[in-house]
Amino acid sequence: MALTPRTERMIDRAVELLNSNNNHEALRLFDLVIAESDLQGLEYGKATALARLGNIDEAVITLKKLLRLIPNHPKAQLFLVELLASERSIQLAEKNYARRSKEENRQSQWLPSNLYPDDVFLVSYPKSGNTWVRFLLANLLKKEDEEIDFFSVHQHIPEVGSHEQIINSLTRPRIMKSHAPFIREYTKVIYLVRDGRDVYVSYYYHRLKQLPKRFDFFSFLQRRDHYPCRWGEHVASWTMSKDCSNLLVVKFEDLKSDCFKQMDRILKFLNVNRPKHRIEKAIEASSFENMKRIESEKGRLYKKEGPEVFMRKGITGDWKNYYGTKEKDYYKSFEGQLLIKLKYEKDNNW
Ligand code: A3P
């Protein structure tokens, strides 16, 4: 079928809009041309715009329609697989972890030797700011004259699987740190979440010493052996789960913008009362600058494979310095949807 000059111009414009990430307009134009012509291939452009706007369901429907018409469309097949993978990984994460037995959880060292009904778990994916929250809490739980540092913090909030002895000596209600993906046995949980794009940057530097020389960030992002799983799987398993009745979700970014408000939420959740000045003092004692000073003056529990500097930057949005087009596309194909669900982005148009 010969294209009219008008249709040709509209297609060129739609592609141009798509290339400049103006997805709303691109979508409108693709819809218009599709309605006016029989050009089946345009569904691909429409699906791209839809996916970037975060409308995965519609994008999938559009691609399926295209593949019914052109079954061997190679880009459409690949695109469909990517979209389904990102959506499915969220659903799988919710289901898989909820299904694990207590024995499996015990074996993977996610459970202390005994559990009490009032146990609290401070859970996060690695590099989400867990140590910061532990400092904040320890500074509120400690004796007046004690300075919390990278050793004493473990005495107040030990880690499941690493500090069994300390855990057994804690007075109740105990607060323990954990990196476990969803686990049914944790009945009271503070789940700390941080923008996954920043998390991978932080994790990259955390692991740098263990990685082969000149291992670049993109290669790290693509690794399939992130501990204990990918960020999205972990975060989805907790935040999308309907199985944890007593869950408080706290964002790293909210701690950065209003630490007092978040500490107030956390303390209410823990049923702990502290006067305003104590909370402010704890925030000050756990500031990035102060923790950095403590790290350099007193050191921390260095493991050989650990990073040179733990207190690296402590900022939000550092990812922008590391994500070019390929890193963004890769990230979106796995975890773009979750960023939208968690309101880090309003669509995939970033
Ligand atoms: P960056 O590598 O981006 O600097 P975790 O304790 O879960 O391993 O998280 C470590 C990350 O939290 C590091 O991020 C670290 O700098 C940051 N962090 C630790 N204490 C902080 C604080 N007081 N304020 C802001 N960020 C902090």
Side-chain angles (χ1 to χ4, degrees):
M1 188 189 74
L3 296 182
T4 66
R6 179 173 176 276
T7 313
E8 250 183 80
R9 271 201 308 279
M10 281 165 79
I11 296 173
D12 286 348
R13 180 71 189 133
V15 172
E16 208 177 286
L17 287 165
L18 201 59
N19 288 340
S20 59
N21 240 348
N22 191 343
N23 299 306
H24 280 290
E25 268 306 294
L27 181 61
R28 197 184 61 77
L29 220 55
F30 276 123
D31 269 337
L32 215 69
V33 193
I34 290 168
E36 284 183 11
S37 68
D38 260 350
L39 292 167
Q40 296 145 357
L42 292 180
E43 305 278 354
Y44 185 81
K46 179 180 170 174
T48 308
L50 280 165
R52 286 191 191 163
L53 291 168
N55 195 343
I56 302 298
D57 290 346
E58 273 301 309
V60 167
I61 291 170
T62 307
L63 285 173
K64 283 184 175 166
K65 185 172 155 202
L66 173 59
L67 284 166
R68 270 198 301 278
L69 300 164
I70 313 174
N72 294 326
H73 194 299
K75 276 165 85 181
Q77 284 174 346
L78 200 69
F79 193 14
L80 184 62
V81 169
E82 275 180 2
L83 286 183
L84 291 175
S86 90
E87 198 53 18
R88 203 167 285 153
S89 66
I90 294 178
Q91 291 162 2
L92 277 182
E94 278 177 70
K95 290 196 187 104
N96 278 349
Y97 291 105
R99 259 193 247 124
R100 283 159 59 131
S101 71
K102 190 165 182 174
E103 205 34 55
E104 281 173 288
N105 287 331
R106 205 176 286 289
Q107 276 162 13
S108 45
Q109 295 204 310
W110 295 130
L111 289 177
S113 55
N114 53 356
L115 273 167
Y116 297 112
D118 54 358
D119 281 342
V120 181
F121 294 88
L122 173 63
V123 187
S124 64
Y125 189 75
K127 311 317 292 172
S128 303
N130 200 303
T131 315
W132 182 14
V133 177
R134 284 204 292 160
F135 262 69
L136 285 161
L137 287 173
N139 270 298
L140 286 162
L141 303 171
K142 69 175 185 128
K143 290 193 278 328
E144 202 57 64
D145 54 350
E146 183 188 358
E147 181 182 66
I148 298 299
D149 56 33
F150 287 82
F151 300 90
S152 63
V153 74
H154 301 300
Q155 305 298 322
H156 292 277
I157 302 159
E159 179 167 4
V160 178
S162 300
H163 306 126
E164 192 60 29
Q165 261 189 344
I166 308 175
I167 289 177
N168 287 333
S169 68
L170 287 181
T171 51
R172 288 171 60 187
R174 311 182 296 183
I175 307 178
M176 292 163 271
K177 167 199 169 174
S178 171
H179 286 316
F182 181 79
I183 200 167
R184 202 183 300 101
E185 289 79 9
Y186 294 2
T187 47
K188 187 163 181 168
V189 172
I190 299 167
Y191 187 72
L192 181 63
V193 59
R194 183 183 189 186
D195 186 323
R197 295 166 295 188
D198 279 335
V199 165
Y200 283 122
V201 173
S202 179
Y203 215 176
Y204 171 64
Y205 282 101
H206 188 88
R207 287 253 184 269
L208 209 53
K209 271 209 291 183
Q210 296 154 264
L211 297 170
K213 266 206 172 125
R214 285 188 283 278
F215 202 76
D216 63 287
F217 175 67
F218 187 49
S219 309
F220 178 76
L221 195 62
Q222 288 173 294
R223 278 177 85 118
R224 296 191 182 265
D225 59 349
H226 293 287
Y227 172 83
C229 54
R230 286 196 68 87
W231 173 85
E233 216 181 318
H234 200 279
V235 175
S237 79
W238 281 105
T239 59
M240 305 290 142
S241 164
K242 289 148 202 96
D243 291 332
C244 183
S245 53
N246 220 351
L247 173 79
L248 181 78
V249 177
V250 177
K251 281 184 170 169
F252 177 91
E253 293 74 15
D254 292 340
L255 280 165
K256 288 282 300 181
S257 63
D258 192 344
C259 197
F260 189 92
K261 187 170 168 194
Q262 296 310 313
M263 284 317 290
D264 190 47
R265 286 179 72 218
I266 292 175
L267 292 178
K268 283 194 175 110
F269 182 73
L270 297 172
N271 292 319
V272 170
N273 256 322
R274 289 289 180 275
K276 191 167 176 252
H277 74 271
R278 267 294 299 274
I279 304 177
E280 284 167 350
K281 231 171 128 184
I283 292 174
E284 181 50 38
S286 314
S287 69
F288 184 84
E289 295 69 27
N290 205 39
M291 283 174 65
K292 199 168 175 64
R293 176 191 61 78
I294 294 171
E295 180 185 11
S296 65
E297 281 177 14
K298 292 191 174 176
R300 61 184 160 87
L301 275 184
Y302 280 100
K303 290 181 193 151
K304 262 208 209 94
E305 69 278 12
E308 296 293 347
V309 179
F310 181 81
M311 299 299 292
R312 197 182 61 91
K313 283 192 179 173
I315 58 172
T316 61
D318 194 24
W319 65 268
K320 290 181 187 134
N321 300 315
Y322 294 83
Y323 287 63
T325 308
K326 67 175 191 287
E327 287 82 4
K328 285 181 180 176
D329 286 347
Y330 184 81
Y331 189 90
K332 283 178 200 176
S333 73
F334 276 97
E335 293 166 350
Q337 277 315 97
L338 198 55
L339 281 186
I340 298 168
K341 286 200 164 132
L342 294 169
K343 303 201 168 26
Y344 281 111
E345 293 291 346
K346 59 179 188 319
D347 52 39
N348 268 328
N349 200 2
W350 51 272

